[in-house]
């Protein structure tokens, strides 16, 4: 357990920058926007996390990793609460997170309005190739290497790439 | 309490059983991208099931009437008559056309259900529905595209999806016909009466079938029973496989 005067929310946030998504190691839980709140009170530290997808297998690893980095910084007995509502959306991904994704070769999510709406579900999204920035790309599969990504190919540079789907 | 628990288990069981059926494709999909797609859908469904089981277990434990439950005990230690999943979910995976068409019928239902359930008077149910709605929307989009591709594809793909339609249609009625606990949910304001979703569901099917050049069957006789524990023999076979480890080695973990 920690004593609240020894730790600040800012310090915890800094430490948690090291916790990354095991499937997309360039993104921290802060970049992803799944760390919803850091609470410090008399009984210790509580973190509020929200899953990206219901069955996301990365969540267990993320919880373990979170405990580990805090432990390495002398903070233990952390309470991690999972919150489902409000549901995570790719809009919560930070701008720097989106830049990191692009540099990693994954097209970042478009802002939400495009196809998340059931009504628009026949519309095609214009996805920019993370390699050559062309918009002439085509969908190969709605589901890519993980549930959160779709597989695209660029018609200009011919490279296939993952697109982090809007959600 | 009894009704709300049954309702939660119905939602959990349907997601779990369909997830298991879809997972049978993992490593056997027609092409790699679609193997991954159907596996990811299975993963979304098992995530939804876990959230519903977690809430069901909390209801059981708060009541103090039964033995303590966990999401695992609910999935692995109940027997056929205790499962409340819709019959559609438990049917064998069949060929790709059967798998696709079943997913399409189910996802069309789930999106309509979750759109309503996200406004449930019970916060836990509302939160899970809100979380799951976007996933169901992707599943619906993916399966719709496949229904169109198969229906309006080659002679072979068309005859396969017509066969699938023959096999599956009579199990769709159950989704939209309320069980007693769904009526209770509607009365108490925590879940929609599925009969109110019927018209919109049919419109969705018609819209996609029109593009797929498939006939929408008329008013045919519908097989029901799954929601109240009366299952086909296929569920017993599925559970025998899924529950084997926990039955053979009670409490085993790794
Ligand atoms: Zn390109």
């Amino acid at each position: 357990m920690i004593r609240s005067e020894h730790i600040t929310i800012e310090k915890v946030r800094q430490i948690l920058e090291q916790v990354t998504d095991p499937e997309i190691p360039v993104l921290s839980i802060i970049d992803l926007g799944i760390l919803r709140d850091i609470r410090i009170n008399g009984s210790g530290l509580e973190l509020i996390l929200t899953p990206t997808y219901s069955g996301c297998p990365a969540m267990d690893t993320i919880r373990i990793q979170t405990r580990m980095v805090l432990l390495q910084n002398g903070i233990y007995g952390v309470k991690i609460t999972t919150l489902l509502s409000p549901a995570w959306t790719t809009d919560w991904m930070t701008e720097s997170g989106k830049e990191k994704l692009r540099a990693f070769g994954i097209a970042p999510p478009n802002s939400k309005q495009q196809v998340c709406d059931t009504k628009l579900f026949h519309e095609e999204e214009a996805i920019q190739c993370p390699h050559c920035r062309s918009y002439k790309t085509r969908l190969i599969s709605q589901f890519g290497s993980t549930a959160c990504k779709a597989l695209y190919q660029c018609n200009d540079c011919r490279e296939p790439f993952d697109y982090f789907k809007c959600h | 309490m009894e009704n709300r628990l049954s309702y939660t288990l119905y939602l959990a069981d349907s997601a779990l059983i369909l997830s298991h059926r879809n997972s049978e494709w993992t490593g056997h999909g027609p092409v790699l991208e679609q193997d991954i797609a159907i596996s990811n859908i299975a993963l979304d469904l098992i995530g939804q099931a876990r959230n519903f089981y977690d809430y069901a277990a909390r209801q059981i434990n708060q009541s103090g009437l039964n033995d303590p439950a966990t999401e695992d005990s609910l999935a692995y230690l109940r027997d056929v008559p205790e499962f409340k999943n819709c019959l559609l979910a438990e049917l064998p995976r069949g060929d790709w056309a059967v798998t696709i068409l079943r997913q399409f019928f189910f996802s069309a239902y789930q999106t309509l259900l979750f759109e309503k359930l996200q406004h449930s008077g019970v916060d836990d149910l509302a939160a899970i529905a809100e979380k799951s709605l976007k996933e169901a929307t992707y599943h619906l989009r993916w399966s719709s595209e496949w229904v169109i591709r198969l229906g309006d594809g080659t002679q072979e793909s068309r005859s396969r999806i017509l066969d699938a339609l023959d096999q599956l249609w009579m199990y769709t009625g159950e989704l939209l016909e309320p069980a007693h606990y769904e009526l209770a949910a509607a009365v108490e304001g925590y879940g929609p009466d599925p009969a109110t979703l019927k018209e919109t569901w049919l419109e969705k099917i018609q819209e996609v079938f029109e593009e797929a050049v498939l006939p929408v069957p008329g008013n045919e006789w519908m097989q029901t029973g799954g929601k109240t524990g009366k299952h086909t023999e296929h569920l017993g076979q599925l559970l025998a496989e899924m529950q084997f480890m926990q039955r053979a080695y009670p409490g085993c973990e790794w």
Side-chain angles (χ1 to χ4, degrees):
Chain A
M1 206 64 66
I2 46 134
R3 298 251 304 283
S4 50
E5 60 263 32
H6 295 149
I7 194 90
T8 62
I9 288 177
E10 210 26 63
K11 180 79 178 33
V12 173
R13 185 179 298 276
Q14 267 173 29
I15 295 170
L16 294 179
E17 284 282 1
Q18 302 166 44
V19 180
T20 55
D21 182 328
E23 283 159 348
I24 313 169
V26 292
L27 290 188
S28 75
I29 56 175
I30 291 160
D31 295 326
L32 271 168
I34 62 174
L35 176 66
R36 299 311 298 158
D37 205 4
I38 301 170
R39 292 173 192 163
I40 296 173
N41 54 40
S43 57
L45 174 65
E46 182 183 9
L47 302 176
I48 313 293
L49 291 181
T50 188
T52 50
Y53 284 66
S54 297
C56 181
M59 286 308 290
D60 287 335
T61 318
I62 286 172
R63 274 190 286 266
I64 294 166
Q65 224 193 322
T66 301
R67 287 186 195 284
M68 287 301 291
V69 298
L70 289 170
L71 205 58
Q72 281 158 6
N73 287 273
I75 304 167
Y76 54 95
V78 181
K79 185 175 177 212
I80 299 178
T81 305
T82 305
L83 199 69
L84 291 178
S85 177
W88 178 81
T89 140
T90 40
D91 288 352
W92 293 351
M93 195 182 284
T94 62
E95 283 310 311
S96 77
K98 289 181 184 172
E99 257 331 295
K100 286 185 206 170
L101 263 187
R102 203 191 312 273
F104 191 58
I106 298 175
N110 278 331
S111 54
K112 203 170 151 195
Q113 342 6 324
Q114 291 209 341
V115 284
C116 281
D117 192 323
T118 337
K119 314 280 176 312
L120 297 173
F121 100 138
H122 273 315
E123 310 281 314
E124 277 301 325
E125 275 181 289
I127 308 301
Q128 192 183 27
C129 169
H131 306 293
C132 74
R133 307 282 167 119
S134 164
Y135 276 102
K136 290 183 199 131
T137 60
R138 64 196 177 88
L139 174 70
I140 296 188
S141 172
Q142 202 57 246
F143 296 87
S145 54
T146 63
C148 56
K149 289 175 245 145
L151 188 62
Y152 275 74
Q153 186 174 19
C154 177
N155 293 335
D156 281 337
C157 75
R158 313 298 298 165
E159 283 290 323
F161 63 90
D162 267 339
Y163 162 58
F164 201 114
K165 290 184 281 193
C166 91
H167 202 66
Chain B
M1 149 71 201
E2 198 56 47
N3 279 328
R4 192 191 296 179
L5 177 59
S6 296
Y7 186 60
T8 312
L9 286 173
Y10 157 64
L11 296 170
D13 291 343
S14 296
L16 176 73
I17 299 302
L18 184 54
S19 166
H20 189 87
R21 281 298 184 211
N22 285 343
S23 78
E24 292 172 8
W25 280 102
T26 304
H28 304 277
V31 287
L32 183 60
E33 286 79 11
Q34 302 311 326
D35 187 309
I36 294 171
I38 195 75
S39 302
N40 276 319
I41 291 174
L43 203 57
D44 282 343
L45 289 169
I46 204 163
Q48 295 169 13
R50 284 188 64 175
N51 289 328
F52 284 121
Y53 282 132
D54 173 63
Y55 174 53
R58 278 185 281 129
Q59 290 175 66
I60 293 170
N61 297 339
Q62 275 160 18
S63 79
L65 298 172
N66 305 75
D67 292 338
T70 64
E71 50 181 270
D72 280 340
S73 73
L74 292 172
Y76 291 124
L77 300 178
R78 286 182 307 141
D79 222 332
V80 170
E82 294 166 275
F83 270 79
K84 295 175 173 34
N85 61 279
C86 55
L87 296 172
L88 185 69
E90 73 197 43
L91 301 173
R93 72 169 199 251
D95 62 9
W96 189 245
V98 170
T99 291
I100 290 298
L101 191 62
R102 174 200 359 229
Q103 190 62 48
F104 169 64
F105 288 149
F106 188 77
S107 299
Y109 160 73
Q110 258 202 337
T111 47
L112 296 174
L113 169 67
F114 290 156
E115 273 169 13
K116 294 277 191 272
L117 196 62
Q118 64 179 339
H119 307 296
S120 169
V122 171
D123 290 346
D124 285 280
L125 292 175
I128 302 169
E130 183 193 343
K131 177 83 227 159
S132 310
L133 176 56
K134 296 180 200 174
E135 295 158 2
T137 306
Y138 267 108
H139 305 168
L140 178 58
R141 181 176 178 185
W142 175 84
S143 55
S144 300
E145 287 169 359
W146 265 104
V147 167
I148 294 164
R149 194 190 296 190
L150 295 177
D152 196 16
T154 64
Q155 223 175 5
E156 169 83 11
S157 72
R158 183 170 171 78
S159 86
R160 293 232 192 176
I161 200 155
L162 283 169
D163 283 349
L165 181 57
D166 258 357
Q167 287 174 47
L168 297 178
W169 185 254
M170 70 168 173
Y171 296 100
T172 58
E174 186 182 35
L175 298 172
L176 305 155
E177 194 175 297
H180 63 277
Y181 48 80
E182 287 174 298
L183 289 175
V187 170
E188 289 172 41
Y190 59 84
D193 177 345
T196 62
L197 310 175
K198 195 168 179 171
E199 207 173 312
T200 333
W201 183 85
L202 258 177
E203 278 168 19
K204 173 51 75 186
I205 305 305
Q206 269 157 354
E207 179 195 320
V208 172
F209 272 23
E210 203 165 299
E211 260 193 81
V213 209
L214 291 172
V216 180
N219 244 341
E220 290 182 19
W221 180 81
M222 292 288 175
Q223 176 70 55
T224 60
K227 286 175 168 182
T228 47
K230 291 187 269 306
H231 293 281
T232 66
E233 76 269 28
H234 306 297
L235 183 64
Q237 290 154 8
L238 182 152
L239 293 185
E241 185 187 306
M242 189 182 80
Q243 299 180 332
F244 172 79
M245 286 297 280
Q246 283 302 323
R247 300 288 191 185
Y249 305 95
C252 89
E253 283 182 48
W254 67 85

